[in-house]
Amino acid sequence: MASRTPTIIDLLKADHREVEELFGEFEKAESDTRHQAMLASQIGQALTIHAEIEETLFYPVVLNELDGEDADLICEATVEHGTLRGLIAGMNGHDAAQPMIQAHVTVLKEYVQHHVREEEKELFPKVEKLGLDLVALGERMLDLKQQLTDEADDMPPSARSSTIRVAEVSAPASAR
Ligand SMILES: [Fe+2]
Ligand SMILES: [Fe+2]
């Protein structure tokens, strides 16, 4: 990224890359179920915070400026966030040694790829032409992200929306 102050679009794209890296690390972790469980929790938290930021700061502002099929993009993206949350919630309730965690992460990854492609290829280019103060929105995004991250870190693991039962992972490897 150049030395200019980042816009909200730069920051949202950086979040997308960060989550893609976590998905890559998850795949590389292969048989290390404990590490995979931690990565799955990180993926869940990162996506939950990202979706919250978009729905609080980005989608409503943009929706005000778009109409017709362009506005439909925001409605569809909001519906897709609902599905993402469902998949993240679905990772809970399984202990990480189960193949169900891997199955959820695999489906989540495909779904996120589709969602991110639509945002970056269709939505963001339209938003960049609207004349909004995207730098100011970027500053607000950084504040909100810090606040949401602090809140998530302060929560006991059992209360988090994206927590895999890592403690149960050390269950006998003989189960495999
Ligand atoms: Fe999104
Ligand atoms: Fe996004």
Side-chain angles (χ1 to χ4, degrees), residues 3-15:
S3 58
R4 66 183 171 83
T5 314
T7 65
I8 191 165
I9 288 181
D10 296 325
L11 297 169
L12 292 173
K13 283 182 179 170
D15 272 7

Side-chain angles (χ1 to χ4, degrees), residues 16 50 54 59 77 81 115 119:
H16 293 166
H50 181 81
E54 287 184 336
Y59 291 175
H81 280 189
H115 181 78
E119 287 187 338

Side-chain angles (χ1 to χ4, degrees), residues 12 16 47 50-52 54-55 58-59 77-78 80-81 84 115-116 119 123-124:
L12 292 173
H16 293 166
L47 285 172
H50 181 81
E52 180 89 26
E54 287 184 336
E55 288 172 24
F58 189 62
Y59 291 175
T78 307
E80 288 178 0
H81 280 189
L84 287 174
H115 181 78
V116 161
E119 287 187 338
L123 180 61
F124 292 176

Side-chain angles (χ1 to χ4, degrees), residues 4-8 11 132-141:
R4 66 183 171 83
T5 314
T7 65
I8 191 165
L11 297 169
L132 295 166
D133 188 345
L134 296 175
V135 169
L137 280 171
E139 281 163 8
R140 287 174 61 197
M141 169 172 166

